[in-house]
Amino acid sequence: MQQNNGIDKSQMISFAVLCLVLFGFMFYFQNKQSKEEQLKAQEQKIEQVKNAVKQTQASNINPNVTPGAIQTARLNSKELNLEFSSLGGQVSKVQLSEYKAYNHKTDNADLPLYLIDKKNSNYGFQFKDKTGKVINTKDLVFTPAANGNTLTMTANYNGAVIEFIYTLLPKYTLDFKVRTKGLAAVTSDNKADFIWDYSVRNLEKGRAQEQSHSEFSYAFNNYKDYDYDGRTEMNEEKETLNWIGVKQQFFSSVIEAKNGFTQSKGNQEAIEEGEYLKKLNFEGFVQMTGSELNQDFTWYFMPLDLPLLKSYDKNFDEILPLGWSFIGWMNRGFFMPMYNIIAEWGLTAGWVIFLMTIIVKLILSPIMYKQHKLSAMMKVIRPEIDEVNAKLKDADPMKKQQATMEIYRKAGVNQMAGCLPALVQIPIFYALFRFFPNFIDLRGKGFWFAKDLTAYDDLIKLPFKIPFLGDHLSVFALACTIVILIYTVMTSGNMQQPQQEGMPNMKVLMYIFPITFLFFLNTSASGLSWYYFVSNAINILIILVIKYVILDEKKIHAQIQANKEKPKAEGKFQKRMREMMEKAQEQQKYQESQKNKKK
């Protein structure tokens, strides 16, 4: 009787106990967290009073301008609270009033969310006067005049009048018109250089994750084509950009030029710590007519919400990094709609993900069933394979492999069928890797001890940093690693080990994989870890049900014996493998005969 290499009833009980312990552990810390949040809420009120927003002193902005010369003006809507500085006539503060930023002190998203504040954005138009002196509008002092939702900023330079006309519109939009009069008497230039310096503010919990998502994004070819650049430099000198934006994990600041930016270039530099994540600099030219600068622009300070981005019809939806081609289609056409439909039932985000996992598993269940049936069949014929390996112990490895494949062929076992589930799940994994940290509907949604499913949970804090792991341990990542390890133990029992010397032990490699997975998941979105915890726990239950309820090893053995009696046609893959092995054997025999002749 062949020894059972799978999991017995005592192991089933152990697995059930482990799951209960994990769920109990999660509920315990959920209650603990609620008490901590009440205390933090009281501390937060005190902290907000202490950290009231201070007015920026003009002497800190430009030492050449007296403090009294700087004025501020405001435009407000339901979505945006904007402040403008008369120095440069530019937007100096942008608050998205419907969103909150993460507070490292309270470990909660309870701060006002500013995309622009404390001089992290600086822009202006640069040209030369007729003496060759470089003039930049960001250095000029403008006079503000408000009328309803429109603000006109006016500056004078050597008799020329420069107007910046801002109009606050719905949908996170700020219309921006530039008008000049008499500029032709000052300059002979036919184009102005738009220069924008922007430092990305840290708004989310996962710094490394948010930093990796911060980059240039832009459209060209009449809004039809989109590109992005997260590297050190960007260079699009041959294209006319319709808009250029600085993308963050969930928000973006974009300026659209109605007649486009030409000869565009930029660079970016990561900031390792502090309030900012990256420093980006952009430079592009806009046309001047008769040395007058009369151009229309639009600013967008917007959340990266897919329906909102699509509504602009400017290819903004490409800013969301949901994956290329089929991967992006899965997120846009399957995972996002499925999440929204289930969320309408009133469930919390964590349970929505739980049901999503079950639905995906049901869809993949026919493939999973075939995989586990194949595993059971391989287990039944394992004694015959061991017998062949024992008989051909001293034979050529190629001959052993041929004998093994002959057993598979006669039994009707197609080894390649076991690769199909893995191939199917690779695009799903990558799609979810893109989905969880970029789906704004999950932002700030907590579940158990994870306060934000788009960031890691750090319930277990370490007093030191571990390379590639950080200064914390994610409980969701640990739980996911444990179930992957259990699943690996259960599925690797029937794996045939390589007979050739020097070949690595595949079982050992498979056991190492879950451990390396911990390093990957520990700083990733906790929603992703929770999904794969549930997914692999379901895999384990499926194996147990198939093993003890659905599949009968005696029947499988009888089926295999019946298959052996029938003439079995070779499959294309099996035929190709046999032909390759035969050629390899002939080549080996030829090489040996040549060596004997030389002797």
Side-chain angles (χ1 to χ4, degrees), residues 261-311:
F261 296 108
T262 59
Q263 296 176 271
S264 299
K265 57 184 179 180
N267 59 76
Q268 50 193 305
E269 178 185 353
I271 301 172
E272 294 307 319
E273 57 183 19
E275 188 177 355
Y276 302 103
L277 304 171
K278 266 188 179 181
K279 183 178 181 181
L280 299 98
N281 310 103
F282 171 78
E283 181 179 0
F285 289 93
V286 292
Q287 199 65 33
M288 297 174 71
T289 305
S291 296
E292 296 287 345
L293 180 56
N294 295 297
Q295 292 287 349
D296 293 347
F297 305 87
T298 306
W299 281 104
Y300 302 90
F301 304 105
M302 55 192 177
L304 297 181
D305 177 71
L306 187 60
L308 173 70
L309 298 176
K310 283 184 174 181
S311 70

Side-chain angles (χ1 to χ4, degrees), residues 422-487:
L423 292 174
V424 170
Q425 291 185 72
I426 287 172
I428 293 175
F429 174 82
Y430 188 70
L432 292 169
F433 172 70
R434 289 290 189 177
F435 172 80
F436 283 106
N438 292 294
F439 188 41
I440 198 168
D441 288 15
L442 278 174
R443 183 181 184 268
K445 299 291 177 64
F447 184 61
W448 286 339
F449 37 79
K451 295 184 178 180
D452 187 342
L453 286 167
T454 64
Y456 57 84
D457 71 271
D458 55 355
L459 184 67
I460 304 174
K461 293 181 172 63
L462 303 175
F464 48 81
K465 281 191 176 183
I466 299 175
F468 308 109
L469 200 64
D471 58 358
H472 70 276
L473 284 176
S474 164
V475 177
F476 273 125
L478 280 171
C480 184
T481 302
I482 290 169
V483 294
I484 292 176
L485 191 58
I486 294 171
Y487 177 73

Side-chain angles (χ1 to χ4, degrees), residues 198-259:
Y198 191 97
S199 294
V200 178
R201 294 171 58 82
N202 183 194
L203 304 174
E204 313 299 332
K205 181 175 183 176
R207 180 185 180 87
Q209 183 172 249
E210 187 182 10
Q211 189 180 59
S212 68
H213 283 83
S214 299
E215 59 199 6
F216 281 120
S217 56
Y218 48 94
F220 53 94
N221 190 19
N222 195 26
Y223 301 92
K224 294 176 183 176
D225 295 322
Y226 169 81
D227 208 347
Y228 66 95
D229 202 312
R231 301 183 298 273
T232 305
E233 295 182 359
M234 66 157 287
N235 195 322
E236 292 290 352
E237 295 190 354
K238 295 182 180 179
E239 301 289 350
T240 298
L241 304 191
N242 303 115
W243 53 262
I244 176 75
V246 176
K247 171 199 169 296
Q248 297 177 228
Q249 188 174 353
F250 292 109
F251 304 93
S252 188
S253 301
V254 175
I255 183 167
E256 174 193 13
K258 296 300 189 291
N259 293 313

Side-chain angles (χ1 to χ4, degrees), residues 347-578:
L347 299 174
T348 59
W351 293 117
V352 173
I353 295 170
F354 180 85
L355 290 180
M356 284 175 63
T357 314
I358 292 176
I359 292 170
V360 173
K361 283 297 175 186
L362 288 173
I363 293 171
L364 296 177
S365 58
I367 298 173
M368 297 296 294
Y369 174 76
K370 287 183 179 180
Q371 181 193 25
H372 293 305
K373 184 178 179 181
L374 173 66
S375 177
M377 293 175 76
M378 291 181 71
K379 178 186 173 184
V380 171
I381 63 173
R382 185 63 181 270
E384 297 182 42
I385 294 173
D386 291 341
E387 185 179 343
V388 167
N389 287 332
K391 285 181 180 179
L392 301 176
K393 184 177 181 181
D394 300 321
D396 182 82
M398 195 73 70
K399 188 174 288 185
K400 285 186 189 178
Q401 189 66 25
Q402 277 185 314
T404 302
M405 289 188 66
E406 183 64 17
I407 293 173
Y408 286 137
R409 188 182 69 81
K410 287 182 178 179
V413 175
N414 183 3
Q415 286 180 287
M416 290 302 294
C419 300
L420 183 60
L423 292 174
V424 170
Q425 291 185 72
I426 287 172
I428 293 175
F429 174 82
Y430 188 70
L432 292 169
F433 172 70
R434 289 290 189 177
F435 172 80
F436 283 106
N438 292 294
F439 188 41
I440 198 168
D441 288 15
L442 278 174
R443 183 181 184 268
K445 299 291 177 64
F447 184 61
W448 286 339
F449 37 79
K451 295 184 178 180
D452 187 342
L453 286 167
T454 64
Y456 57 84
D457 71 271
D458 55 355
L459 184 67
I460 304 174
K461 293 181 172 63
L462 303 175
F464 48 81
K465 281 191 176 183
I466 299 175
F468 308 109
L469 200 64
D471 58 358
H472 70 276
L473 284 176
S474 164
V475 177
F476 273 125
L478 280 171
C480 184
T481 302
I482 290 169
V483 294
I484 292 176
L485 191 58
I486 294 171
Y487 177 73
T488 303
V489 171
M490 294 174 66
T491 56
S492 62
N494 300 314
M495 179 176 289
Q496 185 181 358
Q497 296 306 308
Q499 302 298 319
Q500 296 89 342
E501 292 184 7
M503 291 292 288
N505 189 320
M506 295 304 295
K507 280 190 177 181
V508 173
L509 291 179
M510 288 186 70
Y511 295 153
I512 291 174
F513 172 73
I515 308 303
T516 58
F517 217 61
L518 173 62
F519 287 84
F520 168 74
L521 290 174
N522 197 55
T523 54
S524 298
S526 53
L528 182 66
S529 301
W530 168 238
Y531 177 95
Y532 275 101
F533 169 79
V534 176
S535 178
N536 283 281
I538 292 173
N539 282 344
I540 293 171
L541 292 174
I542 288 173
I543 291 175
L544 295 174
V545 170
I546 290 174
K547 178 181 175 66
Y548 291 105
V549 179
I550 298 176
L551 294 182
D552 187 331
E553 289 188 8
K554 290 182 180 179
K555 287 184 179 180
I556 292 173
H557 188 270
Q559 181 186 339
I560 290 173
Q561 297 306 318
N563 287 340
K564 288 180 181 180
E565 299 299 325
K566 296 177 184 178
K568 196 74 178 177
E570 276 187 316
K572 291 182 180 180
F573 173 76
Q574 290 171 322
K575 183 180 178 182
R576 193 176 296 121
M577 287 295 293
R578 179 178 56 77

